[in-house]
Amino acid sequence: MRGLTSVPVRWRRLHPAAQAPRYATEGDAGADLTSVAEVVLDPGESALVPTGIALALPVGTVGLVHPRSGMAARHTVTIVNAPGTIDSGYRGEVLVNLVNLHPRDTFTVRVGDRIAQLVIQEYLHGDFAEADSLPESTRGETGHGSTGGFGAPTDAESAS
């Protein structure tokens, strides 16, 4: 695809049913990862689901394992630690930590099911330096939810 940068990623088949990660349509950011095992997830249960593949990501890249939106919307199944991180030095099997968040229904992952998406990104490495103080910023030290969005409307919002 024009304007798209690609990077060579070697993969190794660890299971006969393993499939190469693949993009469903041209221009997709996430390549589908598939299951090589049948796994039953009861309501509230999580499990590591094997993909049967190992990757060799280039140094300077990371594989981020994201949930599939269809599984979340239709079955309330997602990834516990989303996104999962695959470091470039990791050579073990890619496992996907799925969780069934549905309050009543059991969900069964079948061999060949698309269970996650792999997004490969470049990253920066931090050069951490301890400091006695940090530079000022507009946000400062305010924490979670400090920018609003869920509270009662302000006077200005109520007037509109």
Side-chain angles (χ1 to χ4, degrees):
M1 183 172 181
R2 201 172 99 195
L4 191 62
T5 302
S6 65
V7 61
V9 177
R10 294 177 64 189
W11 71 282
R12 186 166 68 107
R13 186 182 311 272
L14 305 174
H15 187 279
Q19 298 178 32
R22 68 173 162 262
Y23 299 97
T25 60
E26 189 175 336
D28 284 355
D32 290 327
L33 296 174
T34 59
S35 173
V36 295
E38 184 167 302
V39 178
V40 177
L41 295 170
D42 289 325
E45 186 177 29
S46 66
L48 289 173
V49 180
T51 65
I53 65 169
L55 301 171
L57 295 167
V59 172
T61 65
V62 61
L64 300 175
V65 180
H66 289 271
R68 290 187 47 80
S69 59
M71 281 180 60
R74 288 190 284 282
H75 305 289
T76 322
V77 173
T78 190
I79 297 176
V80 174
N81 61 324
T85 301
I86 304 170
D87 290 309
S88 62
Y90 178 66
R91 295 295 183 269
E93 183 173 13
V94 175
L95 302 170
V96 179
N97 198 352
L98 290 182
V99 62
N100 179 2
L101 298 177
H102 199 281
R104 295 173 305 282
D105 295 344
T106 296
F107 181 78
T108 302
V109 176
R110 306 210 185 280
V111 174
D113 281 355
R114 295 177 297 162
I115 58 171
Q117 296 182 74
L118 174 67
V119 176
I120 300 170
Q121 284 187 254
E122 291 182 303
Y123 63 85
L124 299 174
H125 223 231
D127 183 10
F128 299 100
E130 186 174 1
D132 292 330
S133 63
L134 300 175
E136 294 292 321
S137 74
T138 304
R139 183 170 178 177
E141 295 181 16
T142 58
H144 296 285
S146 64
T147 59
F150 295 104
T154 64
D155 291 339
E157 291 171 329
S158 297
S160 54

